[in-house]
Structures are given as structure tokens and as C-alpha cells.
Amino acid sequence: MKKILTAFIAGTSATIALIYLAGYGYIFKAVAMNLKKGSLTPSTDDNEKFPSHHIANANPIFWQKDDSYNTKKLSEKLMDDLKETRASSLIIIRDNKLIHEQYWKNHHEYSLTNSFSIAKGIISILVGCAIDDGYLQSEDQLLSSVLPDYKNSEFGRHLTFKHLMTMQAGLDWEEEYHHPFAPNSKQYFVDDLKKQALEVEVKEMPGEKYEYQSVAAQVLGIALTEATGMKLADYLSKKIWIPLGMELPAKWSIDEKGMEKAFCCIHATARDFAKIGQFILQNGNWNGQQILSEQFCKNLILPTQANDAFCYTVWANDDSNIKYRFFYGFLGQFIIMIPDKNIVIVKTGLSNSLEVDKKKRPHQVQLLVDEIIKMTEQ
């Protein structure tokens, strides 16, 4: 028995050493962190797991409630789907007023929820702000003007901010969420995001094809930090959180070096996420002030030739009878904008098995659009 135990310990130690040497040491950090602070997998309630930068608000302005607030019931079909996909919140805004608000799983109007990839769309908004502020010339500016090392890359020297926002960067990155050795798993727990992201090679000419890659958003966040000289959280506070009168401050998860997880992980309330949708629906205008250029807002939600379901890290559906746009985060986080109906929908939840159409758009978004339009028109 003693020999077996000794062999087991030696084998385990060797395995651990090999995992560290192969660059997967973050797995042990992830296990320790999750055992201590909750779910063993990424969750919408991760805001206490990681260090974060504060996104300050000021002079909060609360949503005005419509006279019909919470008087109309959601359809049974929609309620069954929300229950099955473990929804935690649903917000419906029509004509800039709150008409429906519902929470599940101990969530409430003050709960901070992980945005996941909704943050990618918010990063694109900040690119527009940086152009307005003169930190950047345009979305077609070369990335190498801010991150000079890309000048030495055969394909990287052609990489632009727009390529990163439209997921046409040509990076050597395979998007994979389903096993702990995947680059995305490392990205979520790694201590040095900047090192990981900037080591990813540009493998082919940017702008030639669409390939969704979370690392593109991280590179974009690094470049934006360099261009503005500000933390992403501080810039988001200055340009969006304070001007829009967000109801609560938010958090942006960071790595051990203080770099925001630009590809994900803005923790905010469903109500405040709804303001992001209303802001874009209004072409960057808020209370009569043009906070973001109208032209950039139009570009932000304009589908690309490479993928007519994708814009500047915002998704599109022009195949539907009612056209709409949406921010889309892992596990079913959505900010949906329906321009023709002046409706914004925010839904958060915790489902990793959402069915998608041939263009990778979750069927749940179409269901939300259809059922909520019917509800509001009753």
C-alpha cells in the first residue's frame, strides 16, 4: 500500500509539473478560486471572484415607469423558455419607459450581472468615443499606430481597429469554450491578459473573412487603453456611465496586472444595460446631447459584407419580419434593440445550451422579439 501511495503521489506531482510547464497553471487557480467562491464554471454572478476596476456613476437618473408597468403578463410560451434557460432578469423598455421588469433566482434590480461578451460591443462604443475625442483618427486606423510591434508582422501591419470590431482580424486563435485547456478558458483566468493577447499571431490577411475570436476584443481593449492613456473602466465611466445617469456604479473584472477583461466581464444591473440599448437606439443622443457621433452609431449596427448577421461586435437580424440588433453574451445575456417598435429588451440568464440558427444567432432572441412585440401590442 505504501508503494502504491508513493507512486500515486509521484505521478500526481509529475502531472502537475507537466501542466505548469505546458502553460496551463491557470487551471489550478481556477479550481481554487471556484471552490472558494462559488460555481465551478463561469457564471453571471462572478463579480466577487475576480479583482475589478470601479465604473463610477454620478447623479443617477432612474427609468420612468410606463402607466402599464408590469400589468401585462408574458406569454406561457416565453415563460416556459425563460424558466428552461434559467433566466435571472428581464427588462422591457418601450418609448423610453420601463413597461416590464421581472427577476428570478434571488436577483433583483440592484443585482450586478456579468455581461460576458456584451462587453465586446461596449468596447466598440468606446472606440467611437475615442474617435470623437481625437485619440483615434477613425475605425480604419492601423493598430500598429498604437501598438508598434504589429509593424513587424507580415499580416499584422495591415490590421485595423475595424478589423477587430468586425471579427475579421485573421488571428491565430480557435474560439473554444468547452474544455479547460482551451484558449478561452485560459483567457478567463490568466494573470497577464496583455501578454497572452499580444502573443497571438496574425495568421492571415485581415479583412478577408469573418471568424469570431474573443482575443480580438482583448487586443482592441489593450489598444484603446494605449490610445487614451486611461483605464477602460475610467473611460467607460467618463463617456457612458456618468453621461447616461446610470442608476448604479458597475465593475469591470481585471487580471493580476490590472488589465480589464475587455472580451467580457462588465458587471452591471439589467436596468443599466438597458440604457446602453436605448442609447444606441437613439443614435448616440441622450437627453438632447450627442454623446457619440450619429454616424459611428450607424456604422456600429451596420452588417458587414463578410457576415450579414454581424456588425461592430453587435449582432443583426434583417431576415426577421421585424429587423433588430442585439448585444450577445455567453450563457444568454442579451441587449436587444428593435428600432421600428422603439423597444429595448434586456435578458440575463445562465444557459450554456441555447440553440442557434445557421448564422449562430440564438433562437431565444427571436422568441423574445416575437412574444414581447405581441405582448406590447395587446
Side-chain angles (χ1 to χ4, degrees):
M1 177 62 72
K2 186 175 180 181
K3 290 182 179 179
I4 293 174
L5 181 60
T6 301
F8 174 77
I9 293 172
T12 301
S13 299
T15 300
I16 291 172
L18 285 171
I19 289 173
Y20 269 106
L21 289 172
Y24 297 117
Y26 65 89
I27 291 175
F28 300 109
K29 174 185 174 182
V31 171
M33 182 182 295
N34 287 325
L35 287 173
K36 182 179 180 181
K37 297 186 178 180
S39 170
L40 285 170
T41 56
S43 166
T44 51
D45 302 319
D46 276 353
N47 78 84
E48 297 299 330
K49 274 187 182 178
F50 300 98
S52 60
H53 283 155
H54 183 74
I55 304 170
N57 68 330
N59 304 315
I61 301 171
F62 296 88
W63 281 108
Q64 183 180 352
K65 294 179 180 178
D66 189 83
D67 291 341
S68 66
Y69 173 75
N70 275 6
T71 61
K72 296 181 179 181
K73 291 185 178 180
L74 302 177
S75 70
E76 184 177 345
K77 181 179 182 180
L78 181 54
M79 283 298 295
D80 287 346
D81 184 75
L82 292 171
K83 181 178 180 180
E84 183 180 347
T85 57
R86 303 169 67 192
S88 55
S89 70
L90 180 68
I91 299 286
I92 306 172
I93 308 295
R94 183 186 61 188
D95 296 332
N96 211 6
K97 292 182 181 179
L98 182 60
I99 67 169
H100 191 89
E101 180 175 30
Q102 199 163 350
Y103 300 93
W104 299 269
K105 300 191 305 175
N106 298 319
H107 286 72
H108 47 74
E109 63 196 82
Y110 305 115
S111 297
L112 299 184
T113 298
N114 192 342
S115 68
F116 289 109
S117 290
I118 285 176
K120 293 181 173 75
I122 293 175
I123 280 285
S124 292
I125 290 173
L126 291 183
V127 169
C129 293
I131 293 169
D132 288 347
D133 287 344
Y135 292 117
L136 299 175
Q137 298 165 6
S138 75
E139 52 263 65
D140 294 314
Q141 182 172 334
L142 290 172
L143 196 71
S144 61
S145 64
V146 176
L147 299 174
D149 284 352
Y150 282 96
K151 292 179 181 178
N152 302 320
S153 166
E154 177 185 1
F155 299 120
R157 65 176 182 265
H158 302 286
L159 186 61
T160 68
F161 283 82
K162 184 175 180 178
H163 292 144
L164 293 168
M165 292 189 288
T166 58
M167 295 295 172
Q168 297 177 52
L171 296 165
D172 189 11
W173 175 278
E174 182 180 357
E175 194 78 359
E176 170 60 62
Y177 303 91
H178 301 297
H179 66 80
F181 298 100
N184 294 79
S185 300
K186 182 175 183 179
Q187 191 178 38
Y188 199 64
F189 292 102
V190 74
D191 289 343
D192 192 342
L193 277 165
K194 185 174 182 179
K195 181 176 185 293
Q196 183 204 24
L198 297 185
E199 284 180 349
V200 176
E201 297 289 335
V202 185
K203 65 180 180 181
E204 56 196 2
M205 184 62 73
E208 294 191 348
K209 72 175 185 180
Y210 166 88
E211 185 178 359
Y212 189 95
Q213 298 175 319
S214 287
V215 72
Q218 190 61 48
V219 172
L220 189 62
I222 293 166
L224 197 56
T225 300
E226 292 292 326
T228 63
M230 298 177 66
K231 297 174 183 175
L232 293 176
D234 289 345
Y235 198 51
L236 179 58
S237 171
K238 177 183 177 182
K239 302 304 298 185
I240 303 297
W241 236 251
I242 291 174
L244 268 57
M246 294 302 198
E247 294 186 6
L248 287 177
K251 298 179 179 180
W252 202 330
S253 296
I254 59 174
D255 67 9
E256 297 299 326
K257 305 288 186 180
M259 178 71 219
E260 287 90 349
K261 297 181 180 185
F263 65 96
C264 81
C265 310
I266 295 172
H267 301 268
T269 67
R271 283 185 172 191
D272 285 340
F273 283 134
K275 285 192 174 184
I276 297 289
Q278 188 66 41
F279 175 62
I280 299 304
L281 202 62
Q282 295 172 184
N283 291 316
N285 191 286
W286 197 261
N287 291 335
Q289 182 181 0
Q290 197 66 40
I291 295 172
L292 178 61
S293 81
E294 183 175 353
Q295 185 58 55
F296 187 86
C297 284
K298 290 178 179 178
N299 293 346
L300 182 80
I301 59 172
L302 182 67
T304 66
Q305 290 184 349
N307 182 356
D308 66 4
F310 203 77
C311 312
Y312 283 8
T313 334
V314 176
W315 293 76
N317 192 335
D318 289 342
D319 305 316
S320 172
N321 290 332
I322 300 293
K323 297 179 181 181
Y324 57 86
R325 301 290 185 264
F326 62 101
F327 296 74
Y328 173 20
F330 181 57
L331 301 179
Q333 324 314 313
F334 306 119
I335 304 173
I336 306 166
M337 300 155 287
I338 313 173
D340 289 348
K341 301 294 182 180
N342 202 16
I343 289 175
V344 174
I345 303 164
V346 171
K347 176 260 169 183
T348 65
L350 193 62
S351 175
N352 61 0
S353 58
L354 293 178
E355 294 183 359
V356 298
D357 65 17
K358 62 182 181 180
K359 296 180 181 179
K360 305 298 183 183
R361 298 173 299 208
H363 291 305
Q364 188 179 56
V365 178
Q366 185 68 61
L367 177 65
L368 284 160
V369 169
D370 290 342
E371 295 300 308
I372 286 171
I373 287 176
K374 283 194 290 187
M375 183 194 82
T376 59
E377 293 181 347
Q378 290 175 350

